[in-house]
Amino acid sequence: MKDAEQKHLWWQEGVIYQIYPRSYQDSNGDGVGDLQGIIQRLDHIKSLGIKAIWISPIFSSPMADFGYDISDYCDIHPLFGTMDDFDELLQAVHERDMKLILDLVPNHTSDEHPWFKESRSSKDNPKRNWYIWQDANADGSEPNNWLSVFGGSAWEWDEKTGQYYYHAFLKEQPDLNWRNPEVQEAMLNVMRFWLDKGVDGFRVDVMWHMIKDDQLRDNPVNPNYKAHQATYEKLIPAYSTDQPEVHDIVHKMRRVLDSYDERMMIGEIYLPIHKLMTYYGTDKNGAHLPFNFLLLSIDWDATEISSNINQYEGALPDGGWPNWVLGNHDQPRITSRVGKAQARVAAMLLLTLRGTPTIYYGDEIGMRDVPIPPDEIQDPQGLNMPGLNLSRDPQRTPMQWDNSENAGFTQSKPWLRLPEDYRRVNVKAQLEDEFSIYALYKRLIKLRQDEPALHIGSYRPVVATGPLLAYLRYTGEQRFLILLNLSHKPCHFAPEHFSFEGTIVIDTLPEREGGKVRKHVSLSGDEGMIIRLNTA
């Protein structure tokens, strides 16, 4: 069945917008964003053309890892508000015909979670096997060589019970034992709790971590490790992640979602393409969208990007829906990676590729990573591996709303500092500038939503040379040619075996819009264009 003939769901047709709630809008003057703050800014999100909002964790937590260490999965941290605030947010999102996606963190809990407190209380506690406990080796050493993503060993000695417990991240984040059916059912019930409230889906944190090798075999040494990398990269996590049994767990999660109407699941998975594809599941019974992070990790080079897009498209299972990401709370911002001019080209790439795009808050105004002085670093990844410049604070700074004190984010000192130029780079200033990157994002999203070829149509690469990335999006008689110059120098598109004629509908240089092109076209440096091709 052709794309245009299929029924497409909201998460296939729309754009997802990620909010890091600590940094979006503070409503009560404590310097930290909250749920009422998000409610205040929903009209900004709606006016951008967004269909779904994904919110990073807002649950009860000691905040050792800013909410990714959860002590109660079914309650709201007072920093963000109350359950009544959440209910109000959910209703306000739905009233604006948008969807709400929550962050689910099933791999580990906080060490303050009642489950872990019970598990830790004694070796014969009924919840002992809810976590991964192991005896020391005969010589007193740790059970194996597994490392923590946040630095150091992944094993923590518990003096009281005389065993080690496993933590893939901080020692305050013990990993659950997902081989235990009781753990599975408890977490599936967490999902049901939020789905019953009306939440539209989940982004599942570190999905590929959930099951570990049952023999706890040592991970192999990484021969390609470099000194500037995180210490975690010293080993290849062959046995501590991406085990075959994880797909049974993902399938069980999917079955829960499928028992509700039109709910969806995104999986956070940092794996090569061929492994990522397995998370769609056999017969599409896995994650709806295993997050595709290709554009976060490869060089900003037309040949490499084109090759990776084609590999990804070619690897998708039958019926598997693609998705694309330019940034998130764990990765440097796109504007910092490629520069202000190329960030516009990147926006055009994200919003014209086939599949569901996810926008990280602030990218719509070109926010950059903010330099955080060493004595202000809060991120445990940065604190635990000093000197490697691995803090994620720079990409988590407050949203820049206007040119008032603290950028309109808060009336007190913000939890992370703002950039020096926030009085120039903010939402209010860009709303008044028809040539701003915000205006470009808004127009791209509208075109994408208005044109079936762009939101559900097929993709076909077009051969181009040098710094030029070219491809077609089409459905039925409708065809768009996208040309993106990924360099600062001018280039020329004159394909030998592809004849085209059409009108430029959106260009990073708006002065060219409405212009007619035929057979060949020259592009300025940092220029991207969408050409509506004439029908025969």
Side-chain angles (χ1 to χ4, degrees), residues 301-304 306 461-471 482-487 489-497 521 523:
D301 172 83
T303 303
E304 185 166 357
S306 178
V462 175
V463 175
T465 57
L468 198 58
L469 180 61
Y471 50 92
I482 290 88
L483 300 177
L484 307 171
N485 182 356
L486 302 192
S487 78
K489 297 180 179 180
C491 66
H492 194 66
F493 179 64
E496 287 184 35
H497 307 293
V521 60
L523 287 87

Side-chain angles (χ1 to χ4, degrees), residues 91 308 474:
Q91 181 179 345
N308 275 273
Y474 60 95

Side-chain angles (χ1 to χ4, degrees), residues 40-41 61 101 127 134 148 169 176 235 253 278 343 351 372 414 420 431 461 477 491 521:
Q40 290 175 18
R41 298 298 187 177
S61 166
I101 299 166
K127 284 194 169 58
Q134 286 292 311
S148 163
F169 296 89
L176 284 161
L235 302 178
M253 290 178 160
T278 63
L351 293 164
I372 306 294
E420 301 293 340
L431 280 171
E477 293 295 306
C491 66
V521 60

Side-chain angles (χ1 to χ4, degrees), residues 416-526:
L416 283 175
R417 63 167 53 201
L418 289 150
E420 301 293 340
D421 64 356
Y422 79 81
R423 293 186 189 276
R424 288 186 288 114
V425 182
N426 59 67
V427 173
K428 186 173 185 293
Q430 294 196 18
L431 280 171
E432 299 164 359
D433 179 5
E434 62 179 311
F435 301 111
S436 67
I437 189 170
Y438 172 81
L440 177 63
Y441 262 98
K442 191 167 181 176
R443 295 177 64 225
L444 286 168
I445 292 171
K446 186 176 190 313
L447 182 68
R448 186 183 184 279
Q449 297 296 81
D450 288 348
E451 303 291 352
L454 291 175
H455 66 256
I456 60 170
S458 300
Y459 162 90
R460 194 177 88 204
V462 175
V463 175
T465 57
L468 198 58
L469 180 61
Y471 50 92
L472 286 172
R473 295 297 312 283
Y474 60 95
T475 182
E477 293 295 306
Q478 190 184 51
R479 292 193 308 157
F480 288 91
L481 172 65
I482 290 88
L483 300 177
L484 307 171
N485 182 356
L486 302 192
S487 78
H488 306 311
K489 297 180 179 180
C491 66
H492 194 66
F493 179 64
E496 287 184 35
H497 307 293
F498 175 74
S499 182
F500 67 94
E501 184 176 349
T503 305
I504 301 171
V505 289
I506 294 187
D507 197 298
T508 54
L509 295 173
E511 291 81 1
R512 297 194 67 176
E513 291 172 5
K516 308 294 183 183
V517 292
R518 181 171 179 268
K519 291 187 178 179
H520 60 87
V521 60
S522 294
L523 287 87
S524 298
D526 307 309

Side-chain angles (χ1 to χ4, degrees), residues 41-281:
R41 298 298 187 177
L42 286 179
D43 289 338
H44 164 77
I45 302 168
K46 175 69 175 176
S47 68
L48 193 56
I50 299 299
K51 184 63 179 177
I53 301 168
W54 151 36
I55 300 181
S56 294
I58 50 174
F59 314 106
S60 297
S61 166
M63 293 289 168
D65 186 23
F66 296 108
Y68 283 92
D69 51 316
I70 295 172
S71 54
D72 187 342
Y73 286 93
C74 298
D75 201 7
I76 304 297
H77 193 295
L79 194 66
F80 300 122
T82 65
M83 190 62 79
D84 286 343
D85 293 324
F86 175 81
D87 292 339
E88 184 182 340
L89 171 64
L90 182 61
Q91 181 179 345
V93 168
H94 287 164
E95 284 174 350
R96 288 164 176 79
D97 194 29
M98 295 189 292
K99 307 290 186 179
L100 188 64
I101 299 166
L102 286 189
D103 222 314
L104 183 71
V105 188
N107 176 70
H108 48 266
T109 69
S110 165
D111 61 354
E112 295 294 313
H113 196 293
W115 297 344
F116 188 70
K117 286 183 175 180
E118 282 191 54
S119 182
R120 192 177 204 168
S121 64
S122 69
K123 283 186 178 179
D124 56 3
N125 185 277
K127 284 194 169 58
R128 185 67 169 184
N129 196 37
W130 280 44
Y131 294 83
I132 300 170
W133 291 94
Q134 286 292 311
D135 290 329
N137 289 326
D139 61 359
S141 62
E142 295 166 357
N144 62 25
N145 70 348
W146 294 359
L147 296 173
S148 163
V149 174
F150 287 160
S153 169
W155 294 100
E156 181 70 13
W157 178 252
D158 181 63
E159 195 66 47
K160 180 181 177 182
T161 57
Q163 280 189 317
Y164 284 98
Y165 68 84
Y166 174 72
H167 57 93
F169 296 89
L170 296 175
K171 63 181 175 60
E172 293 87 358
Q173 295 170 288
D175 279 44
L176 284 161
N177 175 18
W178 271 89
R179 294 182 181 275
N180 184 335
E182 292 180 349
V183 169
Q184 296 176 19
E185 190 56 30
M187 197 60 68
L188 295 179
N189 282 335
V190 169
M191 295 175 69
R192 293 182 183 106
F193 173 85
W194 293 105
L195 291 167
D196 287 343
K197 275 189 167 291
V199 164
D200 300 288
F202 300 100
R203 174 265 190 188
V204 180
D205 186 62
V206 297
M207 181 180 274
W208 82 112
H209 272 264
M210 286 194 297
I211 291 275
K212 290 76 176 167
D213 177 50
D214 57 358
Q215 299 175 54
L216 299 181
R217 288 170 281 190
D218 279 351
N219 279 327
V221 172
N222 178 7
N224 299 315
Y225 173 73
K226 302 289 189 298
H228 69 273
Q229 292 177 298
T231 53
Y232 177 71
E233 304 294 337
K234 289 181 178 180
L235 302 178
I236 297 170
Y239 294 112
S240 53
T241 66
D242 192 36
Q243 298 303 292
E245 300 95 327
V246 73
H247 299 292
D248 296 331
I249 303 303
V250 176
H251 188 198
K252 289 177 180 178
M253 290 178 160
R254 174 65 180 265
R255 281 213 304 267
V256 169
L257 285 156
D258 286 349
S259 68
Y260 294 78
D261 187 40
E262 288 197 7
R263 313 298 172 92
M264 62 88 73
M265 176 167 58
I266 303 167
E268 184 199 23
I269 304 152
Y270 284 91
L271 288 173
I273 291 175
H274 67 285
K275 291 186 175 182
L276 179 68
M277 293 302 152
T278 63
Y279 285 80
Y280 281 100

